[in-house]
């Protein structure tokens, strides 16, 4: 069982819908991450939050909007997505020690399908 | 630039050893990782090795690091059908904390 919990596990939405993906961890980790993964490809980093502040945005389109309400929660707000955005969205978290990220622990992901 | 390379497929018989190889270009990373991804699941952190180590053993898993050749390998002893998955090597870029993944090796274990 993963210690990073993602909801929902599956999401089907139209291109005009607004939805949110949620991620929660209770390991006391202070860095949290969003990745996008296409089938049989490595995950691609989207966003990094460190101590609840956005530290990395990998030039992600504005139709993806991250939010970190507190140190345990990470959201990804979705609006006006395109069919090519269909993928597995993975959340990860890690401890930060002396300013450096430690090994990342992943959730099981949300499988997103855009109609 | 950053580059991590893995062979895409490996097929072994149940009970044999599996060796999954990875080469990388950035030698500044403190950590190097192996992740396992089963179908429909997220990434499971299998093991990791500090860059100042040559070898790490954890039950059926042995990680070898050759810093001179920038080569990382994962050996799975007594491979089982439950080991069938995609295995990603990855290293942590020290600046910014970005995790750089290889393309993944799909391990198929035949009974």
């Amino acid at each position: 069982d993963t210690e990073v919990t993602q909801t929902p596990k599956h999401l089907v939405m139209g291109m005009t819908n607004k939805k949110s993906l949620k991620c929660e961890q209770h390991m006391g980790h202070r860095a949290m991450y969003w990745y996008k993964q296409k089938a049989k490809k490595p995950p691609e980093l989207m966003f990094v939050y460190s101590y609840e502040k956005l530290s990395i945005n990998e030039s992600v389109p504005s139709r993806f909007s991250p939010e970190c309400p507190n140190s345990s929660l990470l959201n990804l707000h979705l609006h006006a997505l395109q069919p090519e955005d269909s993928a597995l969205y993975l959340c990860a978290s890690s401890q930060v020690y002396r300013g450096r990220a430690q090994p990342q622990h992943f959730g099981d992901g949300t499988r997103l399908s855009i109609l | 630039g950053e580059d991590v390379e893995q062979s895409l497929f490996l097929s072994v018989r149940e009970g044999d050893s599996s060796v999954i190889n990875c080469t990388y270009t950035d030698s500044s990373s403190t950590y190097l990782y192996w992740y396992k991804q089963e179908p429909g699941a997220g990434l499971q952190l299998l093991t990791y090795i500090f860059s100042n180590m040559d070898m790490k053993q954890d039950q059926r898993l042995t990680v070898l690091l050759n810093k001179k050749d920038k080569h990382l390998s994962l050996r799975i002893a007594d491979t089982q059908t439950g080991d069938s998955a995609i295995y990603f090597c990855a290293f942590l870029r020290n600046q910014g904390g970005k995790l750089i993944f290889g393309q993944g090796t799909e391990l198929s274990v035949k009974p």
Side-chain angles (χ1 to χ4, degrees):
Chain A
D1 286 339
T2 180
E3 295 180 78
V4 177
T5 304
Q6 291 188 242
T7 55
K9 292 192 184 305
H10 302 275
L11 179 62
V12 180
M13 56 187 288
M15 288 190 283
T16 58
N17 292 157
K18 286 186 182 180
K19 295 285 185 184
S20 297
L21 309 185
K22 297 186 182 301
C23 175
E24 189 168 4
Q25 57 88 14
H26 293 289
M27 294 180 281
H29 290 172
R30 302 310 299 272
M32 296 186 77
Y33 311 78
W34 279 117
Y35 288 85
K36 174 184 178 181
Q37 187 183 28
K38 291 285 197 179
K40 298 197 175 182
K41 295 292 186 182
E44 300 170 15
L45 182 65
M46 299 174 73
F47 303 103
V48 180
Y49 274 82
S50 181
Y51 293 92
E52 295 94 70
K53 291 185 179 176
L54 184 65
S55 59
I56 295 178
N57 176 342
E58 290 284 298
S59 302
V60 180
S62 59
R63 58 186 184 267
F64 295 91
S65 175
E67 178 196 18
C68 190
N70 60 56
S71 60
S72 300
L73 293 174
L74 185 67
N75 298 321
L76 186 63
H77 302 298
L78 314 173
H79 175 53
L81 295 195
Q82 303 298 308
E84 61 265 27
D85 296 324
S86 297
L88 181 68
Y89 287 83
L90 293 164
C91 173
S93 70
S94 71
Q95 192 49 278
V96 180
Y97 177 68
R98 292 187 176 178
R100 289 188 173 177
Q102 302 299 299
Q104 294 180 25
H105 298 261
F106 285 78
D108 282 334
T110 294
R111 190 160 299 281
L112 178 65
S113 298
I114 306 300
L115 300 178
Chain B
E2 305 145 348
D3 195 18
V4 183
E5 293 192 1
Q6 298 178 241
S7 53
L8 294 181
F9 300 100
L10 177 65
S11 181
V12 301
R13 291 265 177 216
E14 193 173 19
D16 289 349
S17 291
S18 307
V19 180
I20 303 171
N21 295 301
C22 174
T23 57
Y24 58 94
T25 56
D26 187 334
S27 59
S28 66
S29 178
T30 304
Y31 294 98
L32 298 104
Y33 306 92
W34 285 103
Y35 284 91
K36 175 184 180 183
Q37 188 172 33
E38 297 183 36
L43 272 70
Q44 174 194 353
L45 179 61
L46 268 184
T47 186
Y48 61 93
I49 189 167
F50 291 101
S51 57
N52 62 359
M53 297 170 65
D54 297 323
M55 186 182 86
K56 180 179 180 182
Q57 189 153 2
D58 183 1
Q59 298 182 331
R60 293 190 297 122
L61 305 178
T62 303
V63 179
L64 295 178
L65 176 61
N66 182 327
K67 289 183 284 294
K68 174 176 171 289
D69 294 337
K70 298 183 181 177
H71 182 265
L72 181 72
S73 68
L74 173 70
R75 179 177 180 269
I76 306 173
D78 186 26
T79 314
Q80 302 297 306
T81 54
D83 295 322
S84 294
I86 297 178
Y87 291 80
F88 293 98
C89 68
F91 73 86
L92 191 67
R93 194 175 69 189
N94 283 340
Q95 285 193 339
K98 183 176 177 179
L99 201 55
I100 310 299
F101 287 92
Q103 290 302 304
T105 299
E106 185 171 357
L107 174 64
S108 173
V109 183
K110 301 189 186 310

